[in-house]
Amino acid sequence: MKLKYYFAILILGIVLLAGVALFATFRSHPTLFYVTECFVVLMLFYLWYFYRKTIRPYDTLIGGIELVKELDLTTRLAPSGQHETDVIVRTFNDLLGRLRSEHFRLEEQYTFLNLLIEASPMGVIQCDLDGNMTSMNPAAREMLSATIEETIHALPLGETTTVRISGGPQLFRISHLSFPDRGFQHPFFLIESLTSEIRLAEKAAYERVIRMIAHEVNNSVAGIIGSLAGDEAERLSALSAFVTRFAEVVKIPQPQLQLCDLSEEVEACRPFLENLCTQAHVHIDFRLTDEAVPVHLDTVLFQQVLINIVKNAVESIGEKLRAGDAVSGATPGLVTLEVTTPAIVVISDNGRGIPPETAKNLFTPFFSTKPQGQGLGLLLIRDILSSHHCTFNLLTDPEDHLTRFTIHFPMHSGKKSK
């Protein structure tokens, strides 16, 4: 029960007591009756004054506390006119102002932090105290894959590791960190893409090595090849050509991007690809969309990418046939080239496939599973597609056993009519 109700009960009791006293003295003591009546009136005035000075300021303070409970930090208490109460009111208003300022500051910092996390190129995944993922920013949603999710669940708190996505060139650094939250360590993960940095460092390293080797070998060969004949001259010429192929990898020009229709560019490359497959007795199936797929690309470099991918698919089918294994599907050797929206190219083949342990090393400089391979084809493809800002992967599906090279081009809002 509120204090003012107790006060009302006190007044009612005094009034009843005064009524009894007045009734008792009305006939027997008239003078005492009038004195008692005046005393009762004075007491009522005093109680009213006491209520204004004590009970009403108390109710005001209680109302202010209720506002704080409801997080209404904009209301201020008015002075009551009672010195002792006004000291409390001023202190309360000062604390309320500080709480309001701190609340706005924290709200602004929280908003800024949310905007920063949403716009960050680093993936941020927040977890609850049990380690379950509760939220993630757009960068994390884009980076998240089965490999990264497995690494996250196995990574101890405070540890950092790097992981390479199977079948692609992507390399990520994952950190398991925490921040204090209401007395507990709240865990979260940071995911940072290292692909571009590693690729640039690798490119700079192998460019220096290749240039040095090509320079020394070609200079030496040029000086003695004229004095030789027959097999020796042919072997030296083959050696020079071999080194020159390495040197060509570092001479990939910057792409001259122009707005093109993806299906039209694949169709323009059809004769080259069909001829490549026909020579190896492999059938190629084109599945192009009728819808316009506008992309920015360098047509010459894009044709090199398609030719290299299809060439690898044809060689994979040939290796499986030479091993005496029957390839899947009605056609002994089949390559499928499909264009879908939004801006995706998928080249699939029913060749020998890629083992999981090999898929982790794909797109690594000079890595090859072929006895005579130099590891240049996928390196060339990687650098060209990366310069087009494409995402891509090369994997063998464990269910249908088809190997697919999937390329995702950046989205373009413009329209190009067919």
Side-chain angles (χ1 to χ4, degrees), residues 359-373:
K360 297 179 180 180
N361 296 314
L362 294 176
F363 304 101
T364 301
F366 313 124
F367 173 80
S368 178
T369 58
K370 304 172 186 176
Q372 304 299 324

Side-chain angles (χ1 to χ4, degrees), residues 327-376:
V327 293
S328 61
T331 305
L334 176 63
V335 175
T336 303
L337 202 161
E338 183 178 8
V339 176
T340 62
T341 56
I344 300 174
V345 175
V346 181
I347 301 100
S348 60
D349 68 80
N350 58 352
R352 63 171 184 165
I354 303 172
E357 59 274 11
T358 301
K360 297 179 180 180
N361 296 314
L362 294 176
F363 304 101
T364 301
F366 313 124
F367 173 80
S368 178
T369 58
K370 304 172 186 176
Q372 304 299 324
Q374 302 166 16
L376 298 180

Side-chain angles (χ1 to χ4, degrees), residues 387-406:
S387 67
H388 283 75
H389 306 289
C390 297
T391 58
F392 51 95
N393 61 69
L394 175 59
L395 290 170
T396 297
D397 193 317
E399 296 183 0
D400 58 18
H401 306 292
L402 294 178
T403 301
R404 292 179 176 87
F405 198 121
T406 305

Side-chain angles (χ1 to χ4, degrees), residues 1-75:
M1 186 179 293
K2 293 186 177 181
L3 188 61
K4 63 181 180 181
Y5 296 134
Y6 288 110
F7 189 77
I9 293 173
L10 174 63
I11 293 176
L12 181 61
I14 292 174
V15 169
L16 291 175
L17 182 62
V20 172
L22 289 173
F23 180 78
T25 59
F26 176 70
R27 292 185 177 181
S28 59
H29 300 88
T31 304
L32 182 61
F33 169 79
Y34 290 111
V35 172
T36 303
E37 186 177 18
C38 290
F39 178 77
V40 169
V41 171
L42 289 174
M43 286 298 298
L44 289 176
F45 274 108
Y46 177 77
L47 289 174
W48 174 78
Y49 177 80
F50 181 80
Y51 175 80
R52 285 178 55 86
K53 294 295 184 180
T54 306
I55 305 302
R56 285 183 61 183
Y58 173 80
D59 285 343
T60 301
L61 295 176
I62 294 298
I65 293 173
E66 293 297 328
L67 291 174
V68 173
K69 288 182 179 179
E70 296 173 2
L71 296 180
D72 182 1
L73 304 180
T74 60
T75 305

